Amino acid sequence: MLTLASLSLRLGVSGCRGGRRSIATVVSGNKTSRLVRERLALEVERMRSRFSGFRPALVVLQVGDRDDSNLYISSKLKAAAQIGIDARHVRLPSSATQDEVLQNILSVNENPFVHGLIVQLPLDSVNPMDSELITNAVSPDKDVDGLSCINAGKLSRGDLKNCFIPCTPNGCMELIRQTGVSVAGKHAVVIGRSKIVGAPMHDLLLWNHATVTSCHSKTTDLPEQVGRADILVVGAGRAEMVRGDWVKEGAVVIDCGINHVPDETKASGKRVVGDVHYASANERAGFITPVPGGVGPMTVAMLMENTVLSAQRFLLKNPAGR
Ligand code: NAP
Ligand code: LUD
């Protein structure tokens, strides 16, 4: 029998209501990403048996040795291994030149055995790098990060079926879907307009038929804008900036922020918090994503999804599997 508890578990949402104040339902990225990864593992297994041993392949290109990039890349490699995606990590030293980075990209572009290529950002280099030039050097049909201007342009025009959607906004949409709240006709507010989070999130909500307001560092009345949001997505990189009393009662709150703040109670001396003040927003929101365990794991899962999608598109054009 499908009980409310089992449905919530399946959906990756949990929470309780009652008492004097309502407590938001927590939308778990850990659970939802696990479901996505399990589905993809089955899909890859099907591809392998149907196309004699074929496996989707991904290259993650890193320049330098940032701790945060190392952590994110290791999660991506682990997820790929679990799913059956053949993932290769190419790490160039921080002394690499822009030409060397571009050469590596071009050689992966030409390799028919690789279906996805990402360049982990930010680039940790001692040499001048034009990161726009570098992300645009990735072939649009292998651009599983969706950061090239070809894929971004298609998304901005609503051509969602023909592009790669950037992983973080795509993960946010999946979490919004998990809430069961329909996006069409809702007022959505996005804080941030970066190429990797805010701008594609705006486009994705728009083409899912929300009415969207985009906010940024020059927005003068942020609490007022936030108060209008049925759906709020925050990607500002400002620790706990959005206060609970700004949030509309019952809103869906999706927090992309990953910020390290000092915490003497931790062995590391710090902890990770989002861009939303979780404790106070939890008392107003209908649904809320935690940090960690919210959007972050979904970014990884959506990269895997885009890689499998790219391999499927490749097989449609090359039915022999090579
Ligand atoms: P970013 O490139 O620095 O962009 C931040 C955006 O927020 C900019 O558009 C900026 O406005 C806006 N902003 C900054 N301060 C603001 C303020 N006080 N009020 C309103 N808007 C403000 O950062 P990002 O790469 O988008 O990342 C944003 C956050 O998400 C960071 O914490 C990052 O670590 C995290 N992130 C998480 C994931 C994930 O998977 N969970 C993925 C990517 C990023 P302007 O355009 O006017 O400067
Ligand atoms: N560059 C990304 N730069 C940074 N958090 C990620 C990310 C996993 N080209 C390119 O991977 O998609 C990208 N493409 N990004 N990011 C951020 C961004 C990029 C962020 C968080 C996580 C990838 C993640 O798994 C965990 C969580 O939130 O629970 C752990 C967080 C922690 O620091 O403990």
Side-chain angles (χ1 to χ4, degrees), residues 270-282:
K270 57 183 183 173
R271 77 193 148 92
V272 178
V273 297
D275 289 348
V276 175
H277 186 264
Y278 185 85
S280 58
N282 192 26

Side-chain angles (χ1 to χ4, degrees), residues 84-124:
I85 292 171
D86 181 10
R88 194 155 56 89
H89 181 194
V90 176
R91 191 209 294 267
L92 301 179
S94 56
S95 59
T97 63
Q98 178 168 287
D99 275 353
E100 283 169 326
V101 177
L102 290 171
Q103 270 312 317
N104 273 273
I105 292 172
L106 296 186
S107 97
V108 178
N109 282 347
E110 284 164 12
N111 183 344
F113 298 104
V114 179
H115 313 102
L117 166 60
I118 71 163
V119 182
Q120 189 72 24
L121 298 172
L123 301 162
D124 171 28

Side-chain angles (χ1 to χ4, degrees), residues 10-320:
R10 208 178 283 178
L11 293 178
V13 292
S14 62
C16 64
R17 293 189 169 277
R20 270 191 315 123
R21 292 190 161 190
S22 70
I23 302 288
T25 298
V26 178
V27 189
S28 167
N30 284 334
K31 282 186 197 161
T32 308
S33 70
R34 193 183 327 119
L35 295 179
V36 172
R37 284 183 275 114
E38 283 167 6
R39 171 170 58 72
L40 292 174
L42 292 175
E43 200 108 351
V44 168
E45 191 46 50
R46 264 199 297 275
M47 288 166 110
R48 279 185 82 158
S49 54
R50 190 155 163 217
F51 296 93
S52 51
F54 175 90
R55 290 215 297 171
L58 170 70
V59 169
V60 179
L61 182 59
Q62 181 183 13
V63 179
D65 189 26
R66 283 176 62 108
D67 286 344
D68 56 354
S69 296
N70 292 340
L71 175 72
Y72 304 152
I73 290 171
S74 79
S75 301
K76 291 173 184 185
L77 298 176
K78 193 170 148 213
Q82 281 170 354
I83 291 166
I85 292 171
D86 181 10
R88 194 155 56 89
H89 181 194
V90 176
R91 191 209 294 267
L92 301 179
S94 56
S95 59
T97 63
Q98 178 168 287
D99 275 353
E100 283 169 326
V101 177
L102 290 171
Q103 270 312 317
N104 273 273
I105 292 172
L106 296 186
S107 97
V108 178
N109 282 347
E110 284 164 12
N111 183 344
F113 298 104
V114 179
H115 313 102
L117 166 60
I118 71 163
V119 182
Q120 189 72 24
L121 298 172
L123 301 162
D124 171 28
S125 174
V126 296
N127 295 310
M129 293 273 164
D130 179 346
S131 57
E132 189 64 13
L133 183 76
I134 287 169
T135 45
N136 278 323
V138 175
S139 172
D141 61 352
K142 297 189 182 187
D143 172 28
V144 286
D145 250 341
L147 297 180
S148 69
C149 59
I150 297 286
N151 280 306
K154 287 183 179 179
L155 176 59
S156 77
R157 292 184 173 187
D159 193 5
L160 271 56
K161 294 270 175 285
N162 264 312
C163 69
F164 288 110
I165 297 168
C167 304
T168 301
N170 210 7
C172 293
M173 279 307 295
E174 192 58 50
L175 292 173
I176 294 168
R177 250 175 242 122
Q178 293 295 320
T179 67
V181 172
S182 72
V183 172
K186 295 287 172 9
H187 190 166
V189 173
V190 179
I191 306 183
R193 55 178 168 181
S194 69
K195 294 188 182 90
I196 194 166
V197 183
M201 191 70 235
H202 167 280
D203 297 342
L204 203 47
L205 286 161
L206 179 67
W207 293 109
N208 278 278
H209 312 302
T211 302
V212 191
T213 300
S214 277
C215 302
H216 44 78
S217 65
K218 302 286 189 290
T219 299
T220 51
D221 51 354
L222 197 60
E224 200 179 315
Q225 296 298 340
V226 168
R228 296 205 179 103
D230 303 308
I231 297 168
L232 175 68
V233 183
V234 191
R238 300 277 180 268
E240 299 180 323
M241 175 184 75
V242 173
R243 314 304 296 181
D245 59 358
W246 301 4
V247 172
K248 183 173 176 177
E249 198 79 48
V252 175
V253 176
I254 308 288
D255 187 355
C256 300
I258 305 266
N259 309 287
H260 296 272
V261 294
D263 184 343
E264 283 161 13
T265 68
K266 303 278 179 210
S268 63
K270 57 183 183 173
R271 77 193 148 92
V272 178
V273 297
D275 289 348
V276 175
H277 186 264
Y278 185 85
S280 58
N282 192 26
E283 296 190 349
R284 298 269 291 209
F287 297 89
I288 192 165
T289 60
V291 176
V295 175
M298 291 304 294
T299 296
V300 175
M302 293 296 118
L303 175 65
M304 302 301 123
E305 185 167 87
N306 277 351
T307 304
V308 172
L309 176 64
S310 184
Q312 284 166 337
R313 288 176 179 165
F314 172 84
L315 286 173
L316 274 177
K317 286 193 233 152
N318 305 276

